[in-house]
Amino acid sequence: MSGKDLRRAVATLALLLATACSGPAAGSGAPVSDAEPRTGLTGRESGLLADAEEKLITACMKGKGFAYTVDAPPAGHDRAPERPFGLDDVAWARAHGYGLDAAGPGDDGRTTVAASTQDRYLASLTADRRRAFGTALNGTDRAAITVEVPGRGEIFTSADGCMADARRRLYGDLRTWTEAKAIVVNLRYLTWDQVVSDPKYKAALVSWRTCMADKGFAYASSSDAIGAVAARDGAGAGTAAREREVRTAVADAECNRDAGLARTGARLQRERVREAATTRFAHQARHFTAAVTEALTEARALTGDGAGGGDRAR
């Protein structure tokens, strides 16, 4: 298994955790919760589950004769805020524009990534040992469990190997967990059309367009504005290009704020996601809620984190 493959596997794991994986909790027979359904995790909860999973994987890999280490992410650029309905943070726009230069290329124009501890370890192994490492970590069939997400295609995961064992320990039956997680983490996508077709959102978008036109920027959406800037100037291509990016981004953010576009979109999205989690996808959301609740308890025991659940993402 190459270092690139390992990074891809670790990135996939981190993504699943960051977007809140779900399913039957550890030691349970596919529990169904009557609690208000959860549709996400707080940052603290995501980190706690990631730490617990890493601890379980590390112990499992050690038992199979391998070292497993995930380096802490390096301190980097000020990340762009999530903006599914456009950017309304004017201060951020003034400082970063649209964040088109966030990749941080080196002097030769290419982005360099330092070799991780795991990369160096893998490089020290023979080819046979690297293959054995990959099987120990990812199992014998990465698509052993496959579930369908409406409009998104298939999601798949392995049923054996240390990653699968760690998830089973935290979340229980992997097929039910994967199915519930695949639905819950995609609820925003599954309800997207309902949000952008809502009259309230359409009215806010019209206000944004009018405001942008008054400032000399005739774009149908923030995505169009970003695309136009990127197509014309590229990422960070000189002082003039940077100034144009910032001017456009600031106007965009000011108009978004004044029109209430992002606020309206976010509010409607919360409403539609909650509705979907209590109606069409209620079964999966209840599994998700029970799984996460029990997994967090298990994770606190594994990591020695005695803190409570903290703020709750929905």
Side-chain angles (χ1 to χ4, degrees):
M1 184 182 195
S2 68
K4 181 179 179 181
D5 287 338
L6 176 69
R7 286 195 298 273
R8 184 180 294 114
V10 171
T12 301
L13 171 63
L15 177 60
L16 291 175
L17 287 167
T19 53
C21 301
S22 76
S28 65
V32 176
S33 173
D34 291 327
E36 176 76 8
R38 302 179 54 132
T39 56
L41 297 175
T42 66
R44 178 179 176 79
E45 288 169 339
S46 295
L48 178 60
L49 290 173
D51 289 346
E53 191 158 345
E54 182 181 344
K55 184 179 286 289
L56 290 170
I57 294 171
T58 299
C60 176
M61 292 295 284
K62 182 178 180 180
K64 296 185 179 186
F66 296 103
Y68 178 82
T69 305
V70 178
D71 291 344
H77 293 265
D78 186 5
R79 295 180 60 189
E82 289 189 18
R83 51 190 182 201
F85 305 104
L87 176 66
D88 63 353
D89 187 335
V90 178
W92 199 94
R94 286 199 181 99
H96 304 282
Y98 283 121
L100 296 180
D101 61 349
D107 293 338
D108 60 356
R110 294 177 299 178
T111 300
T112 58
V113 179
S116 70
T117 302
Q118 196 69 74
D119 287 331
R120 294 192 294 272
Y121 171 72
L122 288 172
S124 73
L125 301 179
T126 65
D128 285 345
R129 286 287 285 167
R130 281 196 294 273
R131 283 191 291 271
F133 179 98
T135 300
L137 180 63
N138 297 303
T140 54
D141 182 0
R142 296 192 185 191
I145 297 172
T146 304
V147 299
E148 186 80 20
V149 180
R152 293 291 247 181
E154 294 182 332
I155 303 292
F156 58 86
T157 188
S158 61
D160 63 334
C162 288
M163 280 193 176
D165 289 347
R167 294 167 184 165
R168 188 178 291 108
R169 168 78 178 271
L170 288 171
Y171 301 103
D173 178 77
L174 289 180
R175 181 169 295 279
T176 313
W177 174 75
T178 302
E179 179 186 2
K181 172 264 298 181
I183 291 296
V184 171
V185 304
N186 281 290
L187 284 176
R188 285 192 289 181
Y189 167 81
L190 294 170
T191 58
W192 177 262
D193 288 346
Q194 292 176 289
V195 173
V196 297
S197 63
D198 189 287
K200 297 183 183 67
Y201 184 80
K202 287 183 174 180
L205 182 58
V206 168
S207 295
W208 176 88
R209 289 172 180 164
T210 300
C211 175
M212 286 290 281
D214 289 344
K215 292 176 182 288
F217 300 96
Y219 296 113
S221 68
S222 182
S223 295
D224 287 347
I226 295 170
V229 169
R232 175 178 178 177
D233 297 323
T239 302
R242 174 66 176 168
E243 290 176 351
R244 279 192 295 270
E245 177 188 342
V246 170
R247 280 200 306 272
T248 307
V250 168
D252 187 345
E254 288 175 342
C255 289
N256 191 310
R257 179 195 60 195
D258 293 345
L261 183 61
R263 293 193 304 274
T264 299
R267 177 175 56 77
L268 291 171
Q269 187 176 69
R270 286 193 299 271
E271 293 172 358
R272 298 295 182 267
V273 164
R274 184 184 180 282
E275 180 183 22
T278 55
T279 55
R280 181 182 176 190
F281 300 111
H283 181 71
Q284 293 90 341
R286 288 196 298 269
H287 274 289
F288 173 87
T289 301
V292 166
T293 299
E294 293 190 28
L296 286 168
T297 299
E298 179 75 4
R300 291 183 188 104
L302 285 168
T303 62
D305 186 330
D311 56 317
R312 176 172 169 172
R314 299 197 177 201

